[in-house]
Amino acid sequence: MTHRLDDELVAQARAGEVAAVDAVYRALAGPVRGYLASRGSQDPDGLTSEVFLVVFGRLSNLRGGASGLRTFTFSIAHARLVDELRQRARRPDIEPVADPPRFGRAPSAEDEVLARDSANRVAALLATLPAEQAEALTLRVVADLSVEQIAHIMNRSEGAVKQLQRRALLRLRESLGVTQDVPR
Amino acid sequence: MSPLGDDRTEMSDNPFRAFEPDRPGSAAADDTAARIQALLSEHGLTDEPRLAGFLQDLAATGQEVPPPAAALRLIVGRRAGRARSSRRRMLMSGAAAAIALAVLSGAAQATDLVPGHLPRPADHHQQPIESSSGSRPAGSRTRLASSHPSSQPASASYPVGPLLPNPESSEPANPGATTDSGDPGPESSAAPSRSARISPSPSHEPEDSGDAHPTRSAEPTPSGSASKHD
């Protein structure tokens, strides 16, 4: 079941209701992990947990309702990702961490192959984009953030974020083999 | 038994069943499609099925909810494996993992997340963790550190001292715990003037609970609660 992150849920989580904290995790952990994985994290699961360790610790102090929590969560995720990429640049010989075991329904072999193929395709296409374009697009599509929220996280203006998204989409469109003119 | 059978997890006995990713065709999928169409329409690209398909695949990367316990154990193991990790940091990491694990599994009250109130990592499976203000069975917890902020509540049975700075992180030792001071600035480590925005370690504010990578102050303000793009 998908958990919608709304102001009421966040208020309950801030008040210490375990079910609400759990729901917050379910609502945001997937997008956080997807964002980290799409942006090239070698350990998206571990980094996701680190993000939520911070989020849970600060939950009672957060303001801004669901939108504020979402922005805060991805702000941390963004910072952790930057740190990981920096660390990797300094220590390129670090070995990637093996995937942890998966719980719940075990996907079929066909599902796994298709999912891996799709993920590889997404990663390959995203890798053709400049880092900031990929960042802006991923935060919009995976994290479901508004332009204003993305601008806050990336420390850019809203206009710059819109331009990054537009350039990213046009570049992807070219990569996907679509060549018609785009309305300005 | 088929070799594949060994890799499959039984749902009935699995406490993490709730974290199974959503199946396609859910309301979430419809919502994602609507968001993608809104994005494309903003840029006059509505008639681009291949682009829409790619964005659908990109959005799908956010549908897998990682099981918290496995990932948290991974954190502990990974940190333990670092040559420069101190035993203290390993203990802190384990305690932090236990907190999140206990809360996510419904065994603890979220108030136990208050920094400075750390359950012993091994205890959460054995008995419910009581609120920090409540009574605790004698000997059921371990004091993880002797030093702690002087303003720690007297009822804090298991205070935790300041974290050691992580030499591998670009983040400062001060966690920049959330304040009500207003604009937090971006969370990005890439922000060049970040250190200028972080107040020096306030003695009255406990460090982030058990996290060896304290974050900078980044509390979202009401201005951060931007109206949605659509």
Side-chain angles (χ1 to χ4, degrees), chain B residues 40 78 102 122 182-183 191 195:
Chain B
L40 291 175
R78 185 181 58 185
D183 182 20
S195 59

Side-chain angles (χ1 to χ4, degrees), chain A residues 43 50 79-80 83 140 144, chain B residues 42 78 170 213 216 228:
Chain A
D43 180 16
E50 290 196 15
R80 293 298 161 89
D83 279 348
R140 179 69 181 271
D144 189 20
Chain B
E42 278 178 30
R78 185 181 58 185
S170 63
H213 297 268
R216 301 146 298 279
K228 295 297 292 181

